């Protein structure tokens, strides 16, 4: 099966890192097509970044439909344009926050999300609400680490994150951690070992969820909201995006 | 004061009609700048339309900041890109669904939304939840009228809407109606007279809300989520959208 | 248009102060009729005060109907007898907590209410729930300032309130403040300047909301709960209150 | 022990009927003091009736404190002025809707409220929310029987109510009925026999709840909201109501 | 009337202590039959203990039906197997957490639960949700006292509990305490005197609630979920449990 | 990896059928150990059945821990004893209702559950609440087909279910169906083809979810509620169940 993992920001080095994590966890027989758009924000740290990034992301989904993709992973913790992507896709589309929260809710009575900037905390709360996960999500904690610092060599980012995860377990009544940024995928196991409690990371979780849904032959429902966009001609420089 | 009313679809005739309604209701001294983008969908009837339309909408907000705009109205019932727009704007930004639901909740114990296509009903429910209005919103009803049919001469659309409003009052335990599409602004009073109960229309409501907030000198809070987007360089054809 | 602002407590000096704030913000052409009952509690600091104060308040609404009032503002942060007042009034009736919370929810992702006595905090929470605003209301904070201390010359009340507002921003994850007492109207801008974040005050917000609703010709819905009270003869000393 | 049952409307014949029901169910050793105010509405069928009726009700609670009352029942299904009454009373104060909903939630997974006029349905929903009972309350149904018709000889009211209770069981997924008006107390068993499912009536339920709380020596908590009203001098004709 | 109080753990000394508390509070004419199963866990401190204890508990309910029992109290704060017990019983079945939370919600705007082990806190939250009491339950606090320590002579357990109750009042915005373990029944009044606020204990509360429901002739609804288990033959060593 | 699928009822023919479905969907390298207890109810159709069935189910989980099981599926739509099982297990434990609802929430904006008996509908609602899925679950519909009828040759059960699924799509605003009984696993695809919308079945969904969690090395969190039961000696005939 072919799973397309779309990093909606343009930072190829993050895409490469996610692709490595995805391929490591994928079942034999699963092909991971990992892409990022060539246009848009290099990192997504707010609603405006997210809105602009949606364009490139949706172009990749539409392209995927022609590539015979079986399922999609949206690899940014804000799960941008998730519903719009579902309108385009025949197969399942899953966000990494969605997959991570589902997984955490199965293995623990409560979890904390540990994320990057303070201004993205409400975005995580909105997602928890959208997926019905507020009853499991005990807290969302910012570390004030910028997304692109995460994989800078010699950065203190990892230790900062580990420290915040420990505080989450001690203070929030949580029993597991959800890492709130796709850029944290590569050091998930390292954090888990440091804190001695389950750490859920969305990229890998979403790949396995997508594989499961494809194996179950569960495609996106096309009766209602997620039906194909109505065919119409878009105007001006966006006419290439017209749904057909 | 200068209020910018942004119709996020590209259909100028809808923009003109909204502008008329807005100017009629505006206080003396309020200048209404009504625009629609030159790029993007001619009507917004789903999540994908909405995501693509956000680009032109946000460009108009950013332009507005240079035009000395005091407050913004997002004139599509899905209130697209509302939070992103708030990141860009210094003054208040209000969506027409938000304004209409607030107004209806003050004058009635419960309201029904009467909108266009079935596939947009969940969008209205999401908005009701986002604004805390689910306790007032008794039902969302589709009429299966397409957005662009609304002002076609000789169309049966108006009668269809009036009939659905009557059913809403009879069956939903609602005491007022919220019209769920910016394209319905012009016949709001006609519907009200036909059904004998308050009918709230978002374009006019949002203009008055925006005026009120500007008069109160209440600008968008810039401490947290709605702070200006972090300055960064976007890639490729979207580099013009880079937040500075 | 004629807006009647009813201070449900009997302290004329508070009524005068609110009237000043209301007139300053009102549009040209809006006449503010500011009254307080001659009977009842001089300040409202609990459920019992509120229940007794409702009588004078409702008498003023009923009188207003004969005065050709277009809209009403209930100027006590508990929004006492709001639904009963709506049964009496033809035009819109808005509470100051309701207006302030609506306004704050448009300009900020979350707000804190800063009020007077501890025992009124739950009242504010109930109002937040009633208006659907719990998702925006991050905290309600008491200052243990009594209502009538607020405008005593030389009182430390203002500084106490400013300090509590600062703590709210720092500790509650709020980006804006709602002042939780009509008596705080006069120093709203002073607090805003001191803390550097939007401060919403209900008297002025409600005046503008009422003006907006009147301009929109949105009257109280009379089909259901807010229909005129059934005509009946009340007994004993309350017979003058009989609905006709 | 002495339980004071306060019918907040002035219709003595309803008070007498409730007194009979209360005395029949009361334990030996429980004295029922049943009163109704001499001033105010003869029936309570809306928010305005309720607000005005609160005055006489609260006077009876205050009088009760001097009579050595151990617990109070507020005998109108809207549970008017419940929190204000708790401020005045040392012992427990329970509303008949509160007691009936608690009882019904213990014996059935879900109940329907069958009440009088349509316009009081939302009041019942508000009460269900206030007591946390929305998860049990499957529906609130009006019969369009006026309160004072209930005990008119030869009235069709009883049959109308029985028919509505049957529909509730069939259509709402409810397994029990809560009668939504104090005036229905006398024919509770008759309805139960007719429909073959538990019927909970608030006057009797509240008397037993009050007895239980008094026996448990559980008085109203006086630390927070329910502390005695602050002593202050009320103005004008309401000065007799001043809390001391 | 005959009330059967079932302690679902096997520790007879706890059963005896509860029986004393129950008999002291019971009305003249109420016979308390207090039992504990001869099989199962000696204390219930988690979901597994609870699941296994349910067997003996249900056997006692089934036996009770042959003994002519009028109402049942499940005397463990987790209210184990409450719905299953209601399927078996004709009369009302009430859990001690249910009764305590109901009682606390009548006398106080908010309460805290003070319980034994940390791992049982979520169980208490689940119960609060199930009974609609989350709006009253401000916090659940563990003392890390094991159930069986509670009545060990010379144990520091009581003081630990009193200290935690004081913290709850100071820090949680609660006005009353619910003791979260049946083993705390005997020192309820002692705690109340020490902290000066109402303390609700479930065994006694449930006995009075059960008496009230029996007096009201309110039996378990048998239309829906709580209908007798369908007759079927269970297999193997559990065949004695087959519902008939 | 070794996944243990536990059918908590004793009907081997259902276990065999589920095992077939599970093995068909399982990845190469996944061993399915499908068992049912030798003691307890042959079908689970209520709370009492469920409580008694928990004993055999938990014995199978405990046995599994000695068999080196990597993950567990509880194969009854009530997800009985799920939390207790998590206390016993090192690896993940997932219920079939939990897995099915998660899957359905990813591919559709809303789903209906179609189940067997009316009396189990509330159980499904409780599960939806427990998993945060009420916002997706539009309705739960009974077919009044008994569990053991489902695989009787020549039974009308399948057609009844297909008809109810169609009604669900038409009347509930749902876009997908969740089959609410493990016994329906074998005809999931048949129903899907008949109705033309996604049909989610829990046994297969849970097997894939369990595989995913095991692959992700996500074990049950052992810090809080799901820690191993405290070691203690159970009494009487249940002493074999004592946690060690």
């Amino acid at each position: 099966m072919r799973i397309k993992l779309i990093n909606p920001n343009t930072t190829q080095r993050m895409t490469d890192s996610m692709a490595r994590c995805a391929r490591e966890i994928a079942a034999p027989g699963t092909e991971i097509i990992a892409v990022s758009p060539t246009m848009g924000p290099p990192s997504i740290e707010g609603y405006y970044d997210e809105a602009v990034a949606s364009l490139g992301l949706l172009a990749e989904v539409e392209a995927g439909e022609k590539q015979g993709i079986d399922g999609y992973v949206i690899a940014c913790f804000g799960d941008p344009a998730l519903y719009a992507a579902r309108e385009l896709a025949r197969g399942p589309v899953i966000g990494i926050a969605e997959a991570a929260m589902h997984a955490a809710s199965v293995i623990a009575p409560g979890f904390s999300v540990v994320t990057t900037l303070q201004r993205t905390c409400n975005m995580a709360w909105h997602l928890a609400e959208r997926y019905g996960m507020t009853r499991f999500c005990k807290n969302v904690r910012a570390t004030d680490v910028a997304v692109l610092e995460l994989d800078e060599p010699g950065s203190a980012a990892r230790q900062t994150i580990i420290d915040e995860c420990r505080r989450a377990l001690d203070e929030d009544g949580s029993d597991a951690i959800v890492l709130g940024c796709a850029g944290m995928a590569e050091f998930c196991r390292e954090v888990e070992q440091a804190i001695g409690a389950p750490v859920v990371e969305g990229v890998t979780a979403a790949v396995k969820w997508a594989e499961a849904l494809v194996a179950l032959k569960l495609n996106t429902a096309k009766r209602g909201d997620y039906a194909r966009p109505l065919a119409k001609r878009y105007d001006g420089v966006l006419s290439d995006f017209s749904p057909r």
Side-chain angles (χ1 to χ4, degrees), chain A residues 118-137:
Chain A
Q118 185 63 46
R119 70 185 296 164
T120 65
C121 287
N122 268 330
M123 297 172 89
W125 279 117
H126 291 171
L127 294 171
E129 181 180 44
R130 187 161 92 168
Y131 304 135
M133 294 290 129
T134 35
R135 55 193 297 118
F136 300 103
C137 185

Side-chain angles (χ1 to χ4, degrees), chain A residues 162-243:
Chain A
I162 288 170
D163 293 347
E164 196 66 31
C165 289
R166 284 202 181 106
R167 271 193 291 277
L169 295 178
D170 287 348
E171 299 170 8
D172 301 347
S174 292
D175 301 317
I177 300 293
V178 166
L179 294 179
C181 177
M184 298 173 180
E186 278 207 315
F187 45 98
C188 174
R189 287 313 129 207
E190 181 186 336
V191 178
E192 187 164 284
Q193 273 153 33
I195 67 168
V199 176
V200 186
E201 184 282 312
V203 175
T204 45
V207 167
K208 298 310 285 182
W209 254 221
E211 282 185 347
L213 291 163
V214 172
L216 291 160
K217 297 193 176 29
L218 287 171
N219 289 320
T220 296
K222 288 291 167 187
R223 278 176 65 91
D225 304 25
Y226 297 159
R228 278 288 298 175
L230 296 178
K232 60 182 73 162
R233 201 180 144 63
Y234 286 6
D235 288 298
V237 298
L238 291 169
S239 64
D240 284 359
F241 284 86
S242 306

Side-chain angles (χ1 to χ4, degrees), chain A residues 36-95:
Chain A
S36 45
T38 54
M39 59 184 174
S43 63
I44 299 180
E45 295 167 314
Y47 297 107
Y48 179 78
D49 284 349
E50 196 172 277
V52 179
S54 296
L55 212 68
L57 164 68
L58 293 169
E60 289 294 348
V61 177
E62 190 63 0
E65 288 304 285
K66 292 179 193 108
Q67 298 167 305
I69 295 300
D70 295 297
Y72 297 86
V73 170
I74 297 187
C76 168
F77 201 79
D79 295 358
L82 181 62
Y83 299 156
R86 285 181 181 154
E87 288 184 354
L88 295 178
R90 193 192 42 82
V93 184
I94 190 154

